[in-house]
Amino acid sequence: MTNLFSVFDPSTSLGLPLNWLSSFLVFMFLPCIFWFIPSRIHFAWSQLMNSLYLEFKTLLNLHSMGSTLMFISLFIFIVFNNFLGLFPYIFTSTSHLSMTLAMSLPLWISFMCYGWINHTQHMFAHLVPQGTPSILMPFMVCIETISNLIRPGTLAVRLAANMIAGHLLLTLLGNQGPNSSNLILTLLISTQVLLLTLESAVAVIQAYVFAILSTLYSSETQ
């Protein structure tokens, strides 16, 4: 098991964690759009960003673009890192808790600080759902407090676990190839192609889930 997970170790031969720089490859791809005549890809990307903006704006109930653009940028950053991890010899930064927790924890802390400082009564009201019997109120406060405290952990673990699970399956199937017959090798390659397609869908879905849940957590503090 140690050798299996060693594929995801963030280490390089130079003694510096340079493979974390793969997270910044997104900045090499995005600016290229503005140097070309708008194409179909540019049009599709603009439509996607507009759809995300409208959805986040509905969830946040805000008239300003600042908050929605922050969550759209978060979605773009995560989805690009998820996709880059599917290419050979590119480090998957979003499969590590040190990366995902570094995104979810500051967001959650900022939401909590903003909510408790500016909307204290509203935050206290969230601890007791409407219609809760008086006897159950102390228990509901404990349950809501615990569920609130584990939010950054669940965000981080959900993204990292989903990204590392598919990579482990691809690694396990790939290790069986050298010792297999031609028929088994054909089945393995077909299965890996299907898994790669599934991982591409998971890369988008997990980025969307992370951004949507962050948006919902933000809307609760307003």
Side-chain angles (χ1 to χ4, degrees):
M1 292 300 291
T2 305
N3 294 331
L4 183 61
F5 282 92
S6 63
V7 181
F8 305 97
D9 289 345
S11 59
T12 55
S13 58
L14 299 176
L16 297 172
L18 296 179
N19 44 15
W20 286 102
L21 292 177
S22 63
S23 301
F24 299 101
L25 289 176
V26 58
F27 300 111
M28 296 176 60
F29 295 111
L30 282 182
C32 299
I33 296 174
F34 301 101
W35 299 102
F36 297 106
I37 298 174
S39 60
R40 292 180 183 271
I41 297 176
H42 186 195
F43 178 75
W45 187 257
S46 300
Q47 289 292 106
L48 174 63
M49 293 301 102
N50 189 42
S51 301
L52 286 173
Y53 168 69
L54 293 176
E55 186 163 352
F56 291 159
K57 183 180 178 181
T58 304
L59 292 173
L60 289 171
N61 296 320
L62 294 175
H63 298 289
S64 62
M65 294 180 60
S67 299
T68 53
L69 289 179
M70 179 182 71
F71 293 113
I72 291 174
S73 303
L74 181 66
F75 170 81
I76 295 172
F77 181 73
I78 296 175
V79 79
F80 262 88
N81 278 292
N82 291 350
F83 266 117
L84 286 172
L86 298 177
F87 289 93
Y89 304 109
I90 295 183
F91 179 69
T92 313
S93 58
T94 48
S95 64
H96 290 260
L97 278 176
S98 56
M99 180 71 175
T100 55
L101 198 61
M103 291 188 291
S104 62
L105 192 59
L107 280 174
W108 179 79
I109 291 176
S110 61
F111 296 156
M112 288 299 101
C113 291
Y114 175 81
W116 284 104
I117 292 173
N118 297 306
H119 306 285
T120 308
Q121 292 183 352
H122 181 69
M123 295 298 290
F124 273 119
H126 265 293
L127 295 178
V128 182
Q130 189 175 4
T132 305
S134 302
I135 302 176
L136 297 178
M137 283 184 180
F139 300 101
M140 291 305 299
V141 169
C142 295
I143 293 172
E144 290 293 325
T145 303
I146 293 172
S147 67
N148 203 356
L149 290 175
I150 65 173
R151 279 178 176 178
T154 55
L155 272 180
V157 170
R158 182 187 293 107
L159 178 57
N162 279 282
M163 293 313 299
I164 205 170
H167 287 68
L168 279 177
L169 283 174
L170 290 171
T171 304
L172 287 171
L173 289 176
N175 291 337
Q176 306 301 319
N179 302 321
S180 304
S181 61
N182 292 333
L183 178 60
I184 301 298
L185 189 60
T186 305
L187 290 175
L188 280 176
I189 293 175
S190 303
T191 306
Q192 283 194 316
V193 170
L194 291 175
L195 272 176
L196 196 61
T197 307
L198 178 63
E199 278 297 294
S200 301
V202 169
V204 180
I205 291 170
Q206 289 306 313
Y208 179 75
V209 167
F210 193 100
I212 282 292
L213 288 178
S214 301
T215 308
L216 291 174
Y217 297 159
S218 173
S219 63
E220 289 183 2
T221 61
Q222 298 170 7

